[in-house]
Amino acid sequence: MESDIKHTTQNQEAPAEGVFGRVISVRGPVVDVRFEQVSDLPALYDVLIGQSFDRRKIVLEVAEHLSKNDVRCISLSETLNLQLNSKVLNTRKPVSIRTGDELYGRIINVFGDPVDNMASFTGTSFKVIRRPPRQEEFNLKSKFTTKPQFLETGIKYLDILYPLCKGSKMGILGGAGCGKSVVILELINNIVKKHDGVCIFTGIGERIREGNDLFCELRDNNLLRKVKLVFGQMNEPPGARYECVNTGITLAEDLAEQNKDVLLFMDNVFRFIQGGQEISTLLGRVPGESGYQPTLQSEVNSVQERIRSIPGYGSITSLQAVYVPADDMTDPSVVAIFSCLDGALALSRDLAQRGFYPAIDPLRSSCSNLDPRIVGQRAYNISQKMMALFAKHNSLKRIVQVVGVEELPKEDQLEYKRAEKMLNFMTQPFTVGEAFTGKKGEFVSVGDAVDDCEAIIAGVYDKLPASDFYLVGRAPRKKE
């Protein structure tokens, strides 16, 4: 039995001398383990390896010390068929995962083990997934004197109104069918092909179907060579859904330490909070007034603080999908996440149904990176004029639906029609969507996009219909 447990440790290397405890209680994902000697007691977050009756590996993570001999663990594996008094091995180490180039194009779980039915890994480089943020040059002076670096994505909406900076964090709000995955795939495509960047995709509580579809789309678009995928699937215990975030960030940090700019996708961050909430309830902690765990803010902050530029190394830029419970933006989980983000993209179902992709609602979205010191004074002025135009269009929209655009005053007619052109122009043919649109995808530089937006606002294209601006990269040439 002991040799079998040592053999199943895989990524969690066993110590030279075996230190074993025995299971004294199993209540779902919560497992209590007793050690005979006080010196054998594992530290918090250390990994214990057990084996079920059907010889399946069970990984436990220490969550609490109950007494001088007993520890309470959260299982990161299914505890079915785990027997009372069965032995568990104390590895004396936290969860560690393999790192290296062999992970490109592969799907791993929270332990770093492959789950894509491909060959096993051979690398011997391991890293602990629970680590504090790097502290090199991380002080007030460097934090306020380092100028943010603009990251060009080739997507007009993002580059003009919601710019990404290296080391920034952007949230994406949107339900099923709003085009969230298309935006994510296009960003991966542009970062990999135009910037020679690398990407980490972390699926938190993802459905198996969603993970399979994403893998197939990345493979079909020849993007797997620069993407590593981590999944804590929906059918896994809450501990796995909670810790897979740290696994993804550890892979991103490893690449950033190699002076690479990393794009980290997290879908869905709300399920990370849900996993922590389930763990807190299982451990018997008293919830807050809202029902969430009392450590909600500190858990979110500990993860978000690791996502940033590392002075002297590369950067980690994050895009995080966020589910909003009951569309309540004041929900404590949403507030905790948004307090750490630099911006939020709100996807509109109405725009998606009308075929406007990306279906970003400009009046519900925001970004703190939209600053003249980052994007330049000219681009900033154009963005403010665009937002004023969108606001004007929104205020006139219902009037136009009732009486028609011809009944508006001349000045309002002009602004309404220009706003229509602008909304159409902000749609864009994506490379990953060529099979659906029938149009070749385009990477639009920020300079070209600003020039065209300025021309639309100035009235250069007033004689052209709004339909001429739909799903184009650059604005059409003016008809004489």
Side-chain angles (χ1 to χ4, degrees):
M1 177 67 178
E2 293 181 8
S3 61
D4 288 341
I5 292 178
K6 287 184 178 180
H7 180 69
T8 61
T9 54
Q10 295 187 21
N11 290 358
Q12 318 307 322
E13 297 176 347
E17 69 284 351
V19 177
F20 287 87
R22 60 187 179 87
V23 176
I24 59 173
S25 172
V26 180
R27 299 186 306 281
V30 179
V31 180
D32 293 346
V33 179
R34 176 166 294 165
F35 291 85
E36 296 300 328
Q37 303 293 329
V38 177
S39 59
D40 295 341
L41 211 64
L44 284 178
Y45 305 119
D46 275 3
V47 169
L48 309 180
I49 303 291
Q51 197 176 60
S52 64
F53 177 74
D54 52 355
R55 295 186 178 276
R56 182 171 43 82
K57 181 180 77 168
I58 295 177
V59 181
L60 310 174
E61 186 179 55
V62 178
E64 289 181 352
H65 288 165
L66 297 179
S67 66
K68 65 178 183 179
N69 291 95
D70 299 345
V71 294
R72 177 159 288 169
C73 307
I74 290 292
S75 176
L76 304 183
S77 312
E78 180 60 55
T79 57
L80 185 66
N81 292 329
L82 178 62
Q83 294 177 301
L84 192 67
N85 289 320
S86 61
K87 289 187 175 181
V88 293
L89 173 67
N90 179 10
T91 66
R92 297 190 184 277
K93 293 181 180 179
V95 177
S96 301
I97 60 167
R98 281 188 178 89
T99 59
D101 292 346
E102 64 178 339
L103 271 67
Y104 283 122
R106 301 295 301 274
I107 305 176
I108 63 173
N109 59 14
V110 63
F111 322 118
D113 295 333
V115 292
D116 49 12
N117 296 323
M118 298 185 190
S120 299
F121 298 130
T122 58
T124 56
S125 176
F126 290 86
K127 284 199 173 181
V128 175
I129 67 170
R130 276 184 172 268
R131 299 193 297 171
R134 293 183 64 107
Q135 297 299 316
E136 290 89 345
E137 301 178 24
F138 188 59
N139 51 50
L140 288 177
K141 183 178 179 182
S142 65
K143 190 173 181 66
F144 286 101
T145 57
T146 303
K147 181 180 179 182
Q149 292 184 311
F150 173 69
L151 182 65
E152 188 177 35
T153 64
I155 299 176
K156 290 179 284 190
Y157 252 130
L158 267 67
D159 288 343
I160 298 177
L161 295 178
Y162 315 107
L164 277 178
C165 290
K166 292 181 180 179
S168 66
K169 298 178 278 285
M170 182 77 74
I172 303 178
L173 311 177
C178 290
K180 180 176 58 182
S181 297
V182 176
V183 174
I184 287 175
L185 282 170
E186 185 69 9
L187 279 166
I188 293 176
N189 177 78
N190 291 353
I191 294 297
V192 168
K193 293 183 178 178
K194 297 295 181 179
H195 296 284
D196 195 30
V198 290
C199 302
I200 306 293
F201 185 92
T202 307
I204 312 162
E206 285 281 276
R207 299 173 183 86
I208 295 174
R209 172 189 58 78
E210 293 173 340
N212 180 70
D213 291 348
L214 176 69
F215 181 85
C216 293
E217 288 186 46
L218 289 171
R219 182 190 60 198
D220 295 342
N221 287 282
N222 194 29
L223 298 174
L224 280 177
R225 57 189 174 86
K226 288 289 185 179
V227 181
K228 299 180 182 182
L229 299 102
V230 181
F231 281 92
Q233 295 175 156
M234 189 175 283
N235 63 323
E236 295 188 52
R241 286 182 270 124
Y242 179 81
E243 288 290 6
C244 75
V245 175
N246 289 313
T247 300
I249 294 177
T250 301
L251 291 178
E253 285 179 336
D254 177 66
L255 293 171
E257 289 167 4
Q258 301 173 29
N259 290 319
K260 295 181 179 179
D261 292 323
V262 187
L263 201 60
L264 172 65
F265 293 96
M266 299 164 68
D267 185 11
N268 186 305
V269 183
F270 177 75
R271 295 191 187 121
F272 158 73
I273 291 178
Q274 273 188 322
Q277 182 184 15
E278 291 178 46
I279 291 172
S280 181
T281 303
L282 290 167
L283 295 176
R285 294 171 183 162
V286 179
E289 292 181 2
S290 58
Y292 288 99
Q293 59 270 40
T295 54
L296 171 64
Q297 191 68 56
S298 62
E299 288 177 1
V300 173
N301 290 348
S302 65
V303 165
Q304 299 287 358
E305 188 59 34
R306 295 173 65 183
I307 304 171
R308 59 186 178 88
S309 295
I310 303 174
Y313 295 90
S315 64
I316 305 174
T317 307
S318 175
L319 276 98
Q320 308 174 16
V322 182
Y323 167 71
V324 182
D327 292 330
D328 180 13
M329 298 297 289
T330 63
D331 188 271
S333 63
V334 177
V335 173
I337 296 171
F338 278 10
S339 63
C340 301
L341 300 179
D342 298 303
L345 297 177
L347 302 184
S348 165
R349 186 172 302 280
D350 177 59
L351 289 172
Q353 290 173 344
R354 291 165 57 193
F356 283 64
Y357 288 105
I360 297 172
D361 187 338
L363 298 179
R364 290 176 56 219
S365 306
S366 63
C367 183
S368 62
N369 292 331
L370 187 58
D371 188 288
R373 292 170 296 180
I374 297 175
V375 300
Q377 190 63 53
R378 176 169 173 259
Y380 177 78
N381 292 339
I382 293 298
S383 68
Q384 297 307 297
K385 291 178 181 177
M386 289 172 62
M387 293 303 296
L389 206 59
F390 291 143
K392 184 76 171 179
H393 178 272
N394 189 61
S395 65
L396 295 173
K397 185 167 58 176
R398 291 194 176 183
I399 300 174
V400 170
Q401 290 173 346
V402 176
V403 300
V405 69
E406 291 79 12
E407 299 298 322
L408 295 175
K410 290 290 184 182
E411 185 178 344
D412 286 349
Q413 280 189 40
L414 204 58
E415 290 190 351
Y416 185 85
K417 290 178 179 179
R418 287 176 184 174
E420 285 282 318
K421 292 183 180 66
M422 187 68 75
L423 285 169
N424 278 268
F425 176 66
M426 295 311 286
T427 62
Q428 187 172 342
F430 283 170
T431 302
V432 297
E434 289 179 4
F436 306 102
T437 62
K439 295 187 177 183
K440 183 175 176 60
E442 292 191 42
F443 181 100
V444 183
S445 69
V446 63
D448 291 341
V450 169
D451 289 342
D452 290 342
C453 290
E454 187 177 38
I456 293 173
I457 293 170
V460 174
Y461 299 107
D462 281 353
K463 293 184 179 180
L464 293 181
S467 58
D468 286 1
F469 295 82
Y470 178 69
L471 281 183
V472 295
R474 294 295 308 277
R477 296 186 63 181
K478 180 184 175 183
K479 293 180 180 179
E480 299 297 337

